[in-house]
Amino acid sequence: MSDIFENDIDDERENLEALEDTADESDQGDADFTPDEPLYHLKLEYSRESIFATAGGVQGIEAGVRVIVPTRYGHDIAVVLGETKKPRGVRQSDIVDIDRIVSKEDAKRAEELKAKESDAVKVFKEKVAYHRLDMKLIQVHFLVAEQKALFFFSSDNRVDFRELVKDLVSVFKMRIELRQIGVRDEARITGGLGVCGRSYCCHAVSDKIKPVSIRMAKDQNLSLNSMKISGQCGRLLCCLSYEFDWYSEARKNLPSEGIHLFYDGTNFKITEVNPITSTVKMLGEDGRLLEVNAKRFAKDSGSRWRIG
């Protein structure tokens, strides 16, 4: 019977670890980076990706203005969210210069291309069905400043779409780029409401969110039920990372769960530590359950916790 329980525990641990992100140091940005000139936070409306750019000599850059800027897909329209003083998750090498503010001609072309995107969706799905490919179309976008079309799709497997690209080029007479994306990127693009009732963090707040781990949930005393700490994308909630640094710092001055100490003539075991309320719960061998203010705890010369 004990072997069965042990297997259940291992399976649950594996299931939780599957929800974690794999840390990629290349996406963490330069921690000590401070811009020498005004830096603006921009966002691509179709993919909800962040771009950080300098004005590049362009005047009139302010929140809400649409600009043409170089992106990893090509030159296209982005919306200025505002100036940023302390950029997060930014590498200096990723910062670009704004080309220009969107003109009337740019805006007109953007509207014309937007109208073509719905037709492009139909064509794409027809071609995918013809080639019998396992692909789920997420988003279609035509670049404004270049003759290029982007097709974002998801799939459980790697897809050989070379013949599909040839067909799409023959139809649209422009460069075609197909990008296979993961579940987090899909959630960022499509958007939706999270368990909190607000828009997905990755869609409405920022795409520069550090990797989320099970440890973040543990340190915040959250349930390790995967249904409660995972988002609609099936991965750990982005918001688990927001307060993790605060919890980590607060716990440095608090005893850990499981520690034993002698108090009031009885041995006690710490069963719960709450950094927010600064309280510690202890269960004594005599059956007493005490809730003690965390400020009463201190370490003696032997680095053992005691209650003052």
Side-chain angles (χ1 to χ4, degrees):
M1 182 65 73
S2 60
D3 291 339
I4 296 177
F5 287 148
E6 188 67 33
N7 290 336
D8 289 342
I9 293 174
D10 290 340
D11 290 343
E12 179 64 17
R13 185 181 297 114
E14 291 177 1
N15 291 336
L16 289 172
E17 290 176 352
L19 304 180
E20 294 183 317
D21 294 319
T22 301
D24 185 352
E25 293 182 0
S26 64
D27 292 334
Q28 299 309 300
D30 301 329
D32 300 326
F33 169 65
T34 301
D36 297 326
E37 55 185 308
L39 188 65
Y40 297 93
H41 185 190
L42 284 56
K43 179 156 286 192
L44 299 177
E45 292 182 297
Y46 57 90
S47 68
R48 310 300 295 181
E49 293 174 75
S50 293
I51 297 176
F52 291 88
T54 56
V58 179
Q59 303 296 318
I61 304 299
E62 57 184 24
V65 171
R66 302 169 78 201
V67 296
I68 299 294
V69 66
T71 74
R72 61 173 174 157
Y73 309 113
H75 287 68
D76 202 11
I77 292 179
V79 178
V80 178
L81 301 182
E83 184 177 346
T84 178
K85 301 294 184 181
K86 296 182 179 180
R88 178 183 178 185
V90 181
R91 291 177 296 181
Q92 191 169 4
S93 59
D94 291 336
I95 297 175
V96 298
D97 292 332
I98 294 173
D99 287 346
R100 65 180 185 274
I101 293 178
V102 169
S103 64
K104 292 182 179 179
E105 291 74 17
D106 293 327
K108 181 180 179 181
R109 175 170 168 74
E111 289 299 322
E112 293 173 349
L113 293 174
K114 186 70 175 176
K116 293 182 179 180
E117 288 175 3
S118 58
D119 293 332
V121 170
K122 297 177 182 178
V123 172
F124 182 88
K125 291 183 177 180
E126 290 174 357
K127 297 298 182 181
V128 166
Y130 175 78
H131 289 285
R132 297 181 179 180
L133 298 175
D134 179 21
M135 303 171 71
K136 174 186 175 184
L137 182 62
I138 305 301
Q139 178 71 282
V140 177
H141 177 72
F142 289 88
L143 272 64
V144 172
E146 294 185 18
Q147 289 290 322
K148 183 178 181 181
L150 299 172
F151 293 84
F152 297 92
F153 73 92
S154 64
S155 177
D156 293 333
N157 306 297
R158 295 193 65 177
V159 181
D160 182 357
F161 48 69
R162 288 174 292 183
E163 295 302 319
L164 172 62
V165 170
K166 292 178 182 179
D167 286 353
L168 296 175
V169 170
S170 66
V171 172
F172 298 107
K173 309 299 181 183
M174 62 175 65
R175 291 175 58 199
I176 301 295
E177 182 175 339
L178 271 62
R179 298 188 70 92
Q180 184 170 351
I181 61 176
V183 289
R184 276 212 190 277
D185 292 325
E186 181 179 347
R188 187 190 69 232
I189 292 174
T190 59
L193 296 180
V195 293
C196 61
R198 305 188 68 175
S199 297
Y200 295 161
C201 295
C202 58
H203 180 82
V205 180
S206 175
D207 61 320
K208 305 295 183 182
I209 298 175
K210 64 182 180 181
V212 187
S213 67
I214 294 298
R215 179 189 171 190
M216 294 179 178
K218 290 180 178 178
D219 283 2
Q220 295 174 55
N221 289 334
L222 298 176
S223 168
L224 296 185
N225 184 326
S226 60
M227 296 296 291
K228 295 183 178 181
I229 58 175
S230 59
Q232 298 299 317
C233 63
R235 307 299 291 274
L236 291 175
L237 292 165
C238 297
C239 56
L240 292 179
S241 67
Y242 291 167
E243 298 179 353
F244 176 66
D245 291 340
W246 182 90
Y247 274 91
S248 296
E249 190 64 28
R251 281 184 173 274
K252 292 180 181 179
N253 300 316
L254 296 172
S256 302
E257 287 90 345
I259 288 179
H260 291 81
L261 52 82
F262 188 78
Y263 173 70
D264 195 23
T266 305
N267 289 316
F268 281 86
K269 177 182 179 181
I270 294 178
T271 58
E272 182 180 333
V273 178
N274 192 326
I276 295 180
T277 60
S278 293
T279 56
V280 176
K281 290 184 179 180
M282 309 187 306
L283 179 62
E285 292 181 346
D286 57 1
R288 284 185 294 168
L289 179 62
L290 303 182
E291 185 171 301
V292 184
N293 191 309
K295 293 181 180 180
R296 296 182 57 189
F297 285 84
K299 286 186 177 180
D300 58 25
S301 58
S303 297
R304 295 182 179 181
W305 289 96
R306 59 181 177 75
I307 300 178

